[in-house]
Amino acid sequence: MSKKLGALDYHSTGRKGKIEVIATKPCQTAADLSLAYSPGVAEPCLAIQENPDDAYKYTAKGNLVAVVSNGTAVLGLGNLGALAGKPVMEGKGVLFKRFADIDVFDIELNTENPDEIIKACQLLEPTFGGINLEDIKAPECFYIEEELKKTMNIPVFHDDQHGTAIISSAALLNALQLTGKKIEDIRIVVNGAGASANSCAKLAIALGVKPNNMIMCDTKGVIYKGRVEGMNKYKELFAADTPFRTLEEAAKGADVLFGLSAKGAFTPEMIRSMAPNPIIFAMANPDPEITPEEAHAVRGDVIMATGRSDYPNQVNNVLGFPFIFRGALDVRATAINEEMKLAAVHALAKLAQEEVPDSVSKAYGNEKFSFGVNYIIPKPFDPRVLLHVAPAIAQAAMDTGVARQPIEDMAKYIEQLESSQGRSKEVMRMIINKAKSDPKKVVFPEGDNEKILRAAQILVEEGIAQPVLVGDKKKIQQKMDDLNLDLDVPIVDPTESEHTEEYAHELYRRRQRKGLTLTECQRIMRRKSRVQFSTMMVAQGHADTLLGGIDTHYPETIRPALQVLGKQAGLSSVHGLYMMVFKKEVYFLADTTVTIDPTAEELAETAILAAEKVAMLGIEPRIAMLSFSNFGSVDHPQTRKVKRAVELVKERAPSLIVEGEMQADTAVVPELLDGFTFSKLKTPANVLIFPDLNSGNICYKLLRRLGGAEAIGPILMGMNKPVHVLQRGDDVNDVVNMAAIAVVDVQNA
């Protein structure tokens, strides 16, 4: 139930749905408007009329794909209709954009007449560079794609068919290599006769499987020559001359089982009856035909793949369609042909055999991957997939004559693809996966807050952290029941805890000469301050870190933490850091929350601590110490303070890339930075140190509200033990992100 609520919340929070249209040209002035629309827009219109190919030059057509569906075969949900399928099509657009920077309009057509769908797509050809058919039931999908490929001059690709076929075929090639079997010798059984099964069988034959060794089954059993019941011309292509009549019979002695059917379709007895070193791809979603646990319980020589992310060897279509269209669009291909599909198969298979970089391991919680039975296909978040598949598609399109704009320099093209991969959300994903590699106990003082509870559910389900909720146990349990959360985490009630008296005495020991009596400490621990109680949990080692403040003002959380835990020895202060995540870049801003008017010593301390945090997150810090002066252009006490801070950083941490004093635009604009050839900063800074709290706080809030940045923080630096503060108004995602950062902070403490 909680997952359902989370999914609905994800789709409904803020701007509804998952996509928006953003202008790529300025439209701020009357002059801009005259160029964007009338009268200036007439010029590209006339140019396109004279030369239709100029549409790729003057419009977004060359990077625009239509995801077209009528909702008759939505995921594993069946015929939901065009409108109910829209969230899936929007999601497809998100994946196109995220993995290959391709823009998408989702087109839901309210018809089950295949000829109407064909006509609609044909009429849309002037708008789009390609058509991705999605969630259209078989056998109509075959007819629709065939007709569109005959009549349209842009790529048409039915992902439900070919996406699964391409990914599973790549995995099959690698599985065969590991088992020492030759593709021309194997016997393969495909269970399912829909769009995916049809394409998987065709592609396997194209790769070398002998047609006589291909057995296809549907709900009525084996598709054999002479069968009449439940047949159509597409099934007839795979009618085998065989005595087998049931899936059980066909599985005996088979080398490969492809499942594109339903949960439980493969039984342990079938697996036991297969040939040595069987290959089983149970690709039904969300539940496979047989689970890896069930298959491995029968025999130990099985190579398994499923469609699920929680098992090794996920057959995930996202490894295919974004990169296939990327390559096809970049050469203005007129089609996606069989040679291009095979090129994608071989590119993916080859990539899985290469050494996996640390960046991929970090993206999956530092799990190590190497070519073998549990790694026969690349991971979806492997950034190298774009760099392998898109060029392979482009090259195959050129080799087969369907490329209208061939790529002259393939090496340069690959460099361009690499430069298009922004950092943005990947940074947070890497942090989350690093946290998942070694989850820590995070205590939440506001344990009865709805956002905290929903975030705790996510933290547990994804294995990011071990939440500990502080508060009234009955109230928290009632809130969980109201929210339909199935959350099994420790709940600590200060009025009942066996450690309350221990915490009171320890607080008294620390604060007895600072205004507190033992009685007051006991009152604080039992009833007055859950933040103080939670801080003592961290101090006494009963929790690893604290995350609070969503219901309180910032000082109400940080002050007790400073009083109990204090700052690190040798530091003059505690400092605050914000991570600002933009579409392409990530910047770190400090101090934005703590020190109002820092000295040069404190500024230097802020810079060094910020560099340590940024490096901890796997990013090389490039520091700019900001001012209203550029390298001595203004002589003022404030600029001299920043200049002195730069000198101190260079003395104490000579290996850091740091410069200043410098103006903010100089720090981040390459053209301005290039004017100062003596600067140690050769590329724009990603860590910005502000001269005072006024400027830092104002800047990060403006970037968040007006600049479109996602603000993650504040990340406290310099505490004796990791403590982090939430902001009032933070949403569930903010809490999850900060919890992940808190866990990583503990890991690196």
Side-chain angles (χ1 to χ4, degrees):
M1 188 67 175
S2 61
K3 289 184 179 180
K4 175 182 177 181
L5 289 172
L8 294 175
D9 184 63
Y10 174 86
H11 285 79
S12 63
T13 299
R15 184 186 287 267
K16 309 309 178 189
K18 302 188 286 288
I19 57 175
E20 65 177 325
V21 177
I22 299 174
T24 59
K25 301 294 188 295
C27 192
Q28 305 298 325
T29 66
D32 292 339
L33 182 60
S34 70
L35 292 171
Y37 199 55
S38 182
V41 75
E43 297 304 325
C45 290
L46 293 171
I48 294 168
Q49 182 188 37
E50 184 176 339
N51 179 18
D53 277 352
D54 277 356
Y56 290 92
K57 183 177 180 180
Y58 297 119
T59 77
K61 176 181 172 72
N63 196 53
L64 189 61
V65 167
V67 174
V68 178
S69 178
N70 66 351
T72 52
V74 179
L75 298 176
L77 304 174
N79 189 347
L80 299 185
L83 184 60
K86 185 174 176 62
V88 178
M89 307 316 132
E90 286 190 358
K92 198 81 174 191
V94 171
L95 297 180
F96 266 108
K97 190 67 177 175
R98 158 61 183 81
F99 288 101
D101 196 24
I102 293 172
D103 299 315
V104 162
F105 288 145
D106 57 294
I107 309 291
E108 291 77 33
L109 299 174
N110 192 24
T111 178
E112 294 192 18
N113 184 328
D115 290 314
E116 290 183 342
I117 296 173
I118 290 167
K119 186 63 175 177
C121 290
Q122 291 169 335
L123 293 172
L124 289 171
E125 184 166 353
T127 303
F128 296 99
I131 301 283
N132 183 102
L133 300 172
E134 189 76 16
D135 290 354
I136 301 172
K137 69 182 178 72
E140 290 89 338
C141 61
F142 306 131
Y143 168 62
I144 291 168
E145 187 187 39
E146 287 171 0
E147 291 302 307
L148 291 178
K149 289 174 74 172
K150 291 177 188 175
T151 58
M152 297 187 74
N153 204 34
I154 58 175
V156 177
F157 185 80
H158 184 205
D159 187 47
D160 297 322
Q161 291 184 64
H162 311 303
T164 303
I166 288 167
I167 314 310
S168 60
S169 292
L172 175 62
L173 290 181
N174 282 336
L176 292 174
Q177 181 173 325
L178 290 170
T179 58
K181 296 182 179 183
K182 295 181 179 180
I183 195 164
E184 62 268 23
D185 296 334
I186 63 169
R187 184 158 66 80
I188 181 171
V189 178
V190 178
N191 191 49
S196 298
N198 182 289
S199 190
C200 283
K202 282 184 178 178
L203 201 53
I205 290 172
L207 285 168
V209 173
K210 292 179 180 177
N212 289 340
N213 288 341
M214 172 74 69
I215 302 292
M216 182 177 284
C217 302
D218 61 11
T219 55
K220 301 184 185 304
V222 172
I223 297 171
Y224 58 89
K225 288 188 182 299
R227 199 183 100 171
V228 176
E229 187 181 10
M231 293 295 287
N232 57 48
K233 68 176 184 177
Y234 301 104
K235 292 182 183 181
E236 197 65 49
L237 293 172
F238 302 100
D241 186 4
T242 177
F244 302 139
R245 293 295 180 265
T246 67
L247 174 61
E248 290 81 2
E249 293 174 359
K252 291 178 182 178
D255 298 284
V256 180
L257 269 181
F258 266 21
L260 299 128
S261 50
K263 176 184 178 181
F266 297 161
T267 65
E269 290 71 24
M270 291 181 199
I271 309 306
R272 191 177 289 112
S273 72
M274 292 178 70
N277 301 307
I279 298 166
I280 303 165
F281 290 0
M283 296 177 281
N285 266 323
D287 298 304
E289 285 82 357
I290 190 169
T291 66
E293 294 93 340
E294 292 168 331
H296 288 301
V298 176
R299 54 195 299 175
D301 59 347
V302 174
I303 294 181
M304 279 286 298
T306 71
R308 289 176 49 152
S309 61
D310 53 347
Y311 290 124
N313 302 325
Q314 183 190 16
V315 177
N316 191 328
N317 283 21
V318 80
L319 283 166
F321 67 85
F323 316 110
I324 292 167
F325 270 98
R326 179 75 278 157
L329 292 173
D330 289 341
V331 295
R332 296 186 192 171
T334 57
I336 295 173
N337 56 33
E338 293 304 308
E339 291 85 355
M340 293 162 74
K341 297 172 195 172
L342 289 171
V345 171
H346 289 292
L348 286 168
K350 181 180 177 183
L351 178 58
Q353 297 181 33
E354 295 184 5
E355 184 176 348
V356 181
D358 289 341
S359 62
V360 177
S361 295
K362 288 179 181 177
Y364 289 88
N366 289 321
E367 184 179 353
K368 299 297 182 184
F369 303 107
S370 61
F371 182 57
V373 295
N374 288 322
Y375 182 74
I376 56 175
I377 195 71
K379 292 291 184 180
F381 281 97
D382 189 332
R384 301 172 302 161
V385 178
L386 173 65
L387 311 181
H388 282 65
V389 176
I393 292 293
Q395 187 64 57
M398 292 188 288
D399 292 343
T400 55
V402 298
R404 288 182 292 176
Q405 183 175 278
I407 293 169
E408 295 181 2
D409 188 336
M410 189 59 71
K412 187 175 181 180
Y413 172 60
I414 294 172
E415 288 179 5
Q416 292 170 348
L417 289 173
E418 191 168 21
S419 67
S420 73
Q421 294 180 322
R423 301 295 304 279
S424 62
K425 304 291 183 182
E426 278 66 58
V427 173
M428 200 61 239
R429 175 48 54 187
M430 287 177 64
I431 293 169
I432 287 173
N433 283 310
K434 188 172 183 182
K436 290 165 71 172
S437 69
D438 186 17
K440 302 295 183 181
K441 288 184 180 179
V442 181
V443 59
F444 293 93
E446 298 128 324
D448 53 1
N449 179 278
E450 177 180 335
K451 292 178 181 177
I452 297 296
L453 289 170
R454 289 166 60 197
Q457 180 84 21
I458 295 171
L459 294 172
V460 171
E461 287 180 350
E462 296 194 13
I464 297 169
Q466 302 171 34
V468 179
L469 306 175
V470 173
D472 185 304
K473 189 173 292 188
K474 291 182 180 178
K475 185 176 180 182
I476 292 173
Q477 191 60 60
Q478 183 59 54
K479 190 63 115 1
M480 287 193 295
D481 292 342
D482 294 342
L483 295 171
N484 294 305
L485 296 177
D486 182 19
L487 187 55
D488 183 17
V489 297
I491 300 174
V492 180
D493 189 333
T495 64
E496 302 174 356
S497 172
E498 61 181 348
H499 296 293
T500 301
E501 196 65 23
E502 169 195 335
Y503 295 166
H505 279 82
E506 179 59 23
L507 180 62
Y508 177 61
R509 185 187 71 79
R510 295 175 184 231
R511 305 291 297 174
Q512 59 186 318
R513 294 184 179 274
K514 298 180 180 179
L516 288 183
T517 65
L518 177 58
T519 301
E520 179 67 10
C521 290
Q522 290 170 327
R523 188 173 70 86
I524 289 172
M525 285 298 105
R526 290 194 179 280
R527 299 192 180 278
K528 185 177 179 182
S529 175
R530 283 185 284 171
V531 174
Q532 287 273 28
F533 184 92
S534 301
T535 305
M536 288 305 306
M537 289 183 68
V538 176
Q540 296 298 90
H542 297 147
D544 297 306
T545 182
L546 179 150
L547 185 58
I550 200 166
D551 279 342
T552 58
H553 293 290
Y554 184 80
E556 294 177 37
T557 300
I558 192 172
R559 189 179 296 115
L562 284 169
Q563 290 173 347
V564 172
L565 300 174
K567 61 182 183 294
Q568 293 175 17
L571 296 184
S572 59
S573 181
V574 171
H575 310 265
L577 177 74
Y578 259 95
M579 181 164 66
M580 309 300 293
V581 183
F582 293 86
K583 181 180 179 182
K584 296 290 186 182
E585 299 292 341
V586 178
Y587 294 93
F588 296 85
L589 279 54
D591 181 349
T592 48
T593 57
V594 182
T595 309
I596 296 174
D597 187 16
T599 64
E601 289 274 344
E602 289 171 326
L603 278 179
E605 195 171 87
T606 301
I608 293 170
L609 288 171
E612 290 174 355
K613 288 292 183 193
V614 172
M616 177 191 81
L617 300 177
I619 299 170
E620 182 186 31
R622 302 185 302 276
I623 308 166
M625 309 287 283
L626 301 183
S627 176
F628 59 87
S629 166
N630 269 328
F631 304 106
S633 62
V634 179
D635 185 24
H636 184 276
Q638 286 292 327
T639 64
R640 290 197 294 271
K641 176 180 78 170
V642 178
K643 182 178 180 180
R644 176 57 184 155
V646 175
E647 294 169 352
L648 290 172
V649 174
K650 290 181 177 180
E651 289 172 10
R652 297 173 185 176
S655 63
L656 287 180
I657 301 172
V658 59
E659 267 301 351
E661 83 285 13
M662 63 198 307
Q663 295 177 3
D665 54 351
T666 303
V668 298
V669 178
E671 292 80 7
L672 297 177
L673 190 60
D674 288 345
F676 300 96
T677 56
F678 56 82
S679 172
K680 195 173 180 180
L681 268 176
K682 301 303 180 185
T683 54
N686 57 7
V687 180
L688 307 177
I689 307 300
F690 291 86
D692 54 45
L693 186 61
N694 266 330
S695 55
N697 192 271
I698 290 168
C699 180
Y700 101 78
K701 290 191 174 182
L702 284 175
L703 287 175
R704 182 182 189 181
R705 300 300 179 185
L706 303 181
E710 180 181 357
I712 300 173
I715 303 168
L716 287 184
M717 307 181 296
M719 293 290 297
N720 239 338
K721 289 194 174 184
V723 170
H724 293 287
V725 184
L726 297 167
Q727 296 288 288
R728 298 176 78 180
D730 276 351
D731 61 22
V732 173
N733 190 55
D734 295 325
V735 179
V736 172
N737 287 342
M738 282 304 301
I741 289 172
V743 169
V744 173
D745 207 3
V746 176
Q747 292 173 349
N748 288 271

